[in-house]
Amino acid sequence: MKPNARQGRSTKVATIADVATLAGVSPMTVSRVVNGELNVRPGTREKVQAAITQLNYVPNQAARRLAGSEPIRIGMLYIDPTAGYLNEFLIGLLNKASLRHVQLIVQRCDAARDGEEAPVAEMIANGIDGLILPPPFCDSQPLLQLVARTDTPAVVVSAGQPPADVCAVSIDDYQAAYEMTRHLLNLGHHRLGFIIGDPYQSSAARRLAGFHAAMADAGLNIEEEEVVAQGMFTYRSGLDAAEQLLSQERRPTAIFASNDDMAAATVAIAHRLGLDVPSDLTVVGFDDAPLATTIWPELTTVRQPIMEMAGAAVDLLVRHIKARRSGESLPCEHELKDFELVRRQSDAAPRLRPPLRLGAGA
């Protein structure tokens, strides 16, 4: 009988020593790469990962647990997967979780301000090591209290005023809104409209405060020169708010919306009313979500590095989880990321001639 071609093939299971030999590094370096530690040079990490792939090396999970390096499981709660902000956030989160060899458990919650404790309590009961809370959950007092009661490591992202006792990653929403408002004033606009975000989110309050401060510092009479409308950070709420602002007898020449979804809705309402953006109306937003460059005209907006913030949240949480496993206690950290004002085609100086009346032709 002819021998089976597979009989001569080695069935030896690759070991960490085999990976180290092939990559030309020490077994300890291989262990650091497998465990997602940061103190490995990128070039060395790539060589180790290539050797792992070539040898089909599978880490011994029991040995990793004995070494105190069991997998890290992070939970994240979300409410609306279609929002531009959350799409960017999830990409950043997944990319970083993959690089850090973190298991990510993503849980949908339909209720933003009631019922969110149940899915989080379930994740904690099932043994997650930490939580990442993006908007709107970053400002949920019931969730923050649950995290404190259960002593669960957590990072809140994009909270306008992060709690002192919880790790956070954010930008300075107040200063960003202040600078955007100053930009509009420097273009020559004085009658400004502002669409407020979800009143239950602290970032919305901080952006409104920055807008007010810039108007006051310019010496303008706020009661006469600004008009505000309530939104909820959704496109639908932006439509209603824009209708309200543009129905004013003395309508604003520029509208600053608290996020890009509401800014895009404002552009849509302006077009429906026969107003040219930006000739008749300047519109600016906040976030620099993908929507900002997929509408016409493209939005001038405040860019916050959403994907970078998500990745930073994973790094921060992993650092604290590993320290806790080693018996250490790290102080809470608040990472403040840079924002940028991005000019595109939706802003311009106000018209020198009288503005078009609503519904009038050009």
Side-chain angles (χ1 to χ4, degrees):
M1 183 177 68
K2 292 183 179 179
N4 189 309
R6 292 186 178 180
Q7 290 178 350
R9 183 178 298 173
S10 172
T11 57
K12 178 176 179 263
V13 176
T15 68
I16 195 169
D18 296 329
V19 175
T21 299
L22 182 59
V25 299
S26 70
M28 181 59 72
T29 299
V30 176
S31 177
R32 287 177 180 147
V33 172
V34 168
N35 292 327
E37 296 181 20
L38 295 178
N39 56 340
V40 180
R41 290 175 180 160
T44 302
R45 185 182 301 278
E46 289 176 7
K47 287 195 296 183
V48 171
Q49 289 174 335
I52 287 172
T53 301
Q54 183 175 336
L55 295 174
N56 197 26
Y57 170 68
V58 179
N60 185 309
Q61 297 299 320
R64 291 181 66 186
R65 282 193 291 273
L66 288 173
S69 56
E70 63 268 23
I72 290 176
R73 302 172 70 231
I74 291 176
M76 198 277 282
L77 203 62
Y78 75 92
I79 188 169
D80 185 358
T82 63
Y85 177 96
L86 189 58
N87 287 340
E88 292 282 287
F89 188 84
L90 283 171
I91 292 171
L93 203 66
L94 291 167
N95 287 344
K96 181 61 71 168
S98 176
L99 289 173
R100 298 300 304 271
H101 306 289
V102 165
Q103 295 178 5
L104 188 63
I105 296 92
V106 180
Q107 176 68 51
R108 181 181 175 83
C109 180
D110 291 320
R113 282 172 290 281
D114 53 68
E116 66 260 36
E117 297 113 301
V120 171
E122 183 179 353
M123 284 192 284
I124 293 173
N126 288 335
I128 61 163
D129 297 294
L131 277 169
I132 291 178
L133 300 175
F137 305 107
C138 56
D139 290 306
S140 168
Q141 287 307 307
L143 280 186
L144 294 175
Q145 291 166 9
L146 175 61
V147 163
R149 282 198 313 272
T150 57
D151 194 27
T152 302
V155 178
V156 297
V157 183
S158 291
Q161 295 175 297
D165 57 347
V166 179
C167 290
V169 179
S170 59
I171 64 166
D172 189 335
D173 291 276
Y174 174 95
Q175 189 62 34
Y178 184 96
E179 292 188 16
M180 178 60 85
T181 307
R182 289 295 307 175
H183 168 67
L184 296 175
L185 295 170
N186 289 337
L187 285 175
H189 296 280
H190 299 290
R191 178 74 168 168
L192 302 185
F194 188 85
I195 302 180
I196 311 169
D198 186 339
Y200 290 92
Q201 295 189 39
S202 57
S203 61
R206 295 289 292 167
R207 292 171 194 180
L208 177 61
F211 172 71
H212 281 319
M215 294 287 285
D217 287 350
L220 297 175
N221 185 323
I222 293 178
E223 292 185 1
E224 293 182 3
E225 297 298 343
E226 73 170 35
V227 284
V228 299
Q230 183 64 59
M232 294 296 293
F233 283 137
T234 64
Y235 186 88
R236 174 70 259 181
S237 70
L239 295 174
D240 296 336
E243 288 264 20
Q244 179 184 333
L245 292 176
L246 293 175
S247 66
Q248 301 282 325
E249 183 176 349
R250 182 168 166 247
R251 67 171 176 80
T253 61
I255 293 178
F256 180 6
S258 291
N259 77 344
D260 292 337
D261 284 33
M262 297 191 298
T266 302
V267 171
I269 292 296
H271 288 165
R272 184 174 68 78
L273 295 173
L275 297 172
D276 180 74
V277 177
S279 297
D280 298 312
L281 177 71
T282 279
V283 179
V284 299
F286 202 109
D287 284 342
D288 199 23
L291 179 62
T293 54
T294 56
I295 66 167
W296 178 85
E298 294 185 358
L299 286 174
T300 291
T301 189
V302 172
R303 173 184 294 157
Q304 58 173 329
I306 300 170
M307 286 193 287
E308 180 186 342
M309 292 164 69
V314 174
D315 282 338
L316 184 54
L317 190 53
V318 167
R319 189 158 64 245
H320 278 252
I321 291 170
K322 287 190 173 183
R324 176 173 293 202
R325 288 180 177 180
S326 300
E328 303 175 42
S329 179
L330 298 178
C332 288
E333 303 171 60
H334 286 187
E335 292 189 16
L336 200 63
K337 298 297 184 181
D338 293 333
F339 62 85
E340 179 185 359
L341 194 158
V342 181
R343 274 198 87 178
R344 295 196 178 98
Q345 290 83 43
S346 68
D347 70 320
R351 281 178 178 266
L352 297 178
R353 60 184 174 85
L356 296 176
R357 290 182 300 169
L358 297 187

